[in-house]
Amino acid sequence: MKILMYGVNQDTVSIEDIDKYRLTEEQRVQHLHDIKNFSGVEEICILSSDERSEYYLNVDETIFKHGDLLRYLSAFTGKPLKEIILETYSKFNKDVVQHLFTIVSGMEKRPKGSYTELQFAENALNLGVAESTLGSVMSGLFKDAIQFSRKMRLSEAMGPLYSGQPSRAIETFYKKIGQTEDKKFVLFGSDYDVVHLAKLLLSINIQSLTIANTNLNESKVLIDQLKDWINTTTYQAQPTRLHAADLQSVGYRFSNADGIVFSASFESSMLTEAVFEEVDTIRQTKKKQVIVDFTQQDEARFESLGELVVYTSIDELNNKDFTEEQQNQADIYFDEQLLQVTDRFMEQYQLQSEKIEQEPIEKLPIWRKTHTLDIFPNQMT
């Protein structure tokens, strides 16, 4: 058995031609099933974004023919086979693992730390699961890439390279709250920054998480997305309690929260005095709270919450700079961690492949449904 990846990205194909490789969701579904039916293909997952189209395969290399996929891409794009060969890149086994973990962690190119490809990797995993084109290897590969990305984004050592709002909020909570296992958080907003931050918080085993918006249905949609994400991408049950709220019902959650974030997508004018008054009415005693504000609201508005409230503005977070040496050290730390998880994944993959090769033919379909390739047992908290 062998793990393969074929792909193109905006650096290997001209701007005019990259569109020929881009896939709509309908086309991704079609490609998943078409290629899954190729001889020797056991599993397939497609990572498709504005920047790249990459096909991840687990194959029986004694049967699979590389030309089958290249000719398929030639027919799809309308480009000659020789151009497909020149424009596509391919990797196998260890190089595939390192490549996926790197791009999902936002570490492929500068400025580093983007979570764009993380979002597309989650979409790829969701679609592969929905279309039943994944087995234990591909689902394990993408789950582990997503978990590794979260581990890196939560690591203090990686702080110099992860400067996005979600990472800065987590850093602030670590420094001003400390241990988060028994803490409650409320997030205001509806953009992907909120979703990404929620996923990071869920990774550190907080007690409860509330998403609040002016429209309750918006909050419910995001909570449902988080529940689906938990079921698809994690190996263990999630103990955190999840809640959806609007501005009429958020008072109790707000008054008891340890950490609160106002994302840039939240309309700050909707946070009226009535909300603060309700919080003050519900709260019987003063409470220490850490508020991270990306909406550039007036800090004075939060003074009514009491002197124990710690307010951090977007200006304070954006003014933090790191030296080149600090950034280089973060790069070194990432490379060390990447090497460890890659070796661990390939060791598990090799052991599983050897076991399957020793099983009778009639039992082969069973492992694809029952074995899981988890390289992070109890290591991601």
Side-chain angles (χ1 to χ4, degrees):
M1 301 298 294
K2 181 178 289 187
I3 300 173
L4 301 174
M5 186 277 291
Y6 298 85
V8 296
N9 62 44
Q10 60 183 14
D11 295 327
T12 65
V13 182
S14 66
I15 296 177
E16 294 77 15
D17 282 354
I18 190 66
D19 286 338
K20 296 181 180 179
Y21 289 95
R22 288 198 177 108
L23 303 171
T24 64
E25 182 168 349
E26 182 179 346
Q27 289 170 331
R28 289 199 299 273
V29 170
Q30 186 66 51
H31 282 215
L32 283 172
H33 291 290
D34 287 347
I35 298 172
K36 180 67 167 59
N37 289 326
F38 287 179
S39 296
V41 174
E42 299 290 344
E43 309 172 48
I44 175 172
C45 194
I46 299 175
L47 177 58
S48 178
S49 68
D50 292 338
E51 294 188 0
R52 70 183 71 243
S53 291
E54 294 181 343
Y55 298 76
Y56 292 79
L57 312 171
N58 183 35
V59 305
D60 181 342
E61 73 273 27
T62 64
I63 303 175
F64 176 72
K65 295 182 174 62
H66 300 261
D68 289 347
L69 180 57
L70 297 176
R71 282 188 288 272
Y72 181 84
L73 294 177
S74 175
F76 171 70
T77 60
K79 298 170 70 69
L81 181 60
K82 62 181 181 180
E83 289 189 23
I84 298 295
I85 295 173
L86 290 174
E87 293 176 344
T88 56
Y89 48 87
S90 62
K91 300 178 184 294
F92 70 93
N93 285 348
K94 185 175 182 177
D95 289 341
V96 177
V97 179
Q98 290 188 334
H99 173 75
L100 182 62
F101 283 32
T102 299
I103 64 174
V104 173
S105 298
M107 293 290 289
E108 183 183 32
K109 57 186 178 183
R110 295 187 181 275
K112 295 184 177 180
S114 168
Y115 51 78
T116 301
E117 295 299 336
L118 170 60
Q119 184 177 6
F120 286 113
E122 291 171 347
N123 293 341
L125 177 60
N126 288 337
L127 188 61
V129 169
E131 297 300 321
S132 301
T133 62
L134 306 183
S136 63
V137 175
M138 284 296 106
S139 62
L141 176 64
F142 274 77
K143 282 184 179 182
D144 291 341
I146 292 166
Q147 288 200 25
F148 178 71
S149 172
R150 292 204 305 273
K151 178 183 177 183
M152 292 297 97
R153 295 171 198 276
L154 290 167
S155 169
E156 183 178 356
M158 294 297 294
L161 297 178
Y162 289 124
S163 58
Q165 292 184 8
S167 296
R168 288 288 169 85
I170 291 290
E171 180 184 11
T172 301
F173 290 142
Y174 274 159
K175 290 183 176 180
K176 298 183 177 181
I177 294 179
Q179 293 296 322
T180 60
E181 283 78 2
D182 60 341
K183 299 299 188 292
K184 308 178 186 70
F185 292 83
V186 176
L187 311 182
F188 288 84
S190 58
D191 59 3
Y192 188 72
D193 275 351
V194 171
V195 176
H196 182 53
L197 175 56
K199 293 172 181 177
L200 291 177
L201 287 169
L202 290 174
S203 300
I204 54 179
N205 299 323
I206 62 174
Q207 184 181 127
S208 72
L209 174 69
T210 300
I211 293 182
N213 284 284
T214 55
N215 186 308
L216 180 60
N217 286 332
E218 281 188 352
S219 301
K220 288 181 176 179
V221 168
L222 295 181
I223 291 297
D224 287 342
Q225 288 178 4
L226 287 175
K227 290 178 179 178
D228 290 340
W229 172 83
I230 290 168
N231 291 333
T232 302
T233 66
T234 60
Y235 291 103
Q236 298 175 345
Q238 177 55 247
T240 303
R241 297 193 296 272
L242 302 176
H243 309 283
D246 57 17
L247 297 187
Q248 286 70 49
S249 62
V250 75
Y252 173 75
R253 306 292 178 193
F254 194 132
S255 67
N256 286 282
D258 299 285
I260 300 169
V261 176
F262 295 95
S263 81
S265 65
F266 181 71
E267 181 56 57
S268 59
S269 62
M270 302 303 295
L271 195 66
T272 64
E273 290 302 319
V275 175
F276 288 107
E277 290 174 2
E278 182 182 10
V279 171
D280 187 56
T281 300
I282 295 173
R283 184 182 295 159
Q284 298 299 311
T285 58
K286 295 179 180 179
K287 178 177 176 60
K288 179 180 178 180
Q289 291 181 310
V290 175
I291 295 178
V292 179
D293 180 16
F294 294 107
T295 67
Q296 294 182 307
Q297 296 188 63
D298 181 3
E299 180 178 356
R301 300 184 67 197
F302 296 91
E303 291 178 355
S304 64
L305 298 176
E307 67 270 16
L308 294 182
V309 171
V310 180
Y311 177 87
T312 305
S313 70
I314 185 175
D315 293 331
E316 294 176 65
L317 295 173
N318 287 342
N319 288 335
K320 184 172 183 178
D321 294 321
F322 293 94
T323 66
E324 184 176 351
E325 174 61 23
Q326 288 174 313
Q327 295 177 4
N328 290 338
Q329 288 300 313
D331 273 321
I332 293 172
Y333 176 81
F334 178 84
D335 291 340
E336 292 172 347
Q337 297 297 306
L338 178 63
L339 181 61
Q340 291 179 21
V341 296
T342 300
D343 288 345
R344 199 153 60 234
F345 185 95
M346 290 309 303
E347 179 181 353
Q348 293 288 337
Y349 178 66
Q350 187 62 37
L351 289 173
Q352 182 169 300
S353 297
E354 291 175 356
K355 181 177 180 180
I356 299 312
E357 290 173 359
Q358 295 171 2
E359 289 182 352
I361 297 287
E362 62 271 13
K363 292 186 178 180
L364 285 181
I366 297 177
W367 73 270
R368 297 180 186 122
K369 300 177 182 178
T370 59
H371 290 207
T372 51
L373 205 60
D374 180 5
I375 64 167
F376 292 123
N378 302 318
Q379 295 179 27
M380 297 306 295
T381 58

